[in-house]
Amino acid sequence: MKTIVLSNLSDEQVILEYLDGNISALGILYDRYYQKVYHKCLSFTKNTDDAFDFAQDILLKSFSNAKYFKGRSKFSTWLFSITHNYCVTQMTKLNKVRFEDINMRFDIFDESMDTNEFEERKQREEREMLLNNYMNELSELDRSMLELKYHHNYSIKDLQDKFNLSASAVKMRLSRARQKVEQIYSTHKAA
């Protein structure tokens, strides 16, 4: 019997292993995607507990529905779509107001961290929080394209396939979305 090292397989091959009855394949996918799914959920919920619950639900549902993954796109694209749709649906159901407890974000001072490191981390997180807030002012399509390109490292080709657009249309939309973020930033800075 041939031993397969699951961690060396592509996502799509790991799915096939799981569908063939290899339950440990789910652990590989969980390890690869939990953090990404969790952070995407956190960008919607702004609450670590809700994000944890959402991520668990999403992974459980996507793994139990793995037979519906047809391989027409990358597994990560399929999972990202499920994550996005789930979060939108849940946030609509909960009708939650987005807010963030700034004190919670910066209550991460580590004894071994010097003051400069802490200040740098704090400034970086403040910039990330502002950027995230600016991104929330974009249309769903613009935000999705920017997140996929710059957070999930999608290529132009991947974006073409996902959004059924030409390469020039993807590049133009990305350029316009970046310009919108810059305009939002300028508007908030002037205020």
Side-chain angles (χ1 to χ4, degrees), residues 3-17:
T3 304
I4 297 174
V5 180
L6 291 174
S7 60
N8 294 336
L9 298 178
S10 70
D11 296 337
E12 293 73 21
Q13 292 168 319
V14 173
I15 289 285
L16 290 175
E17 282 294 314

Side-chain angles (χ1 to χ4, degrees), residues 53-66:
D53 290 343
F54 281 23
Q56 294 298 320
D57 285 348
I58 290 163
L59 290 170
L60 181 65
K61 287 178 182 181
S62 60
F63 292 160
S64 64
N65 290 303

Side-chain angles (χ1 to χ4, degrees), residues 17-18 21-27:
E17 282 294 314
Y18 168 65
N22 188 344
I23 301 300
S24 61
L26 289 184

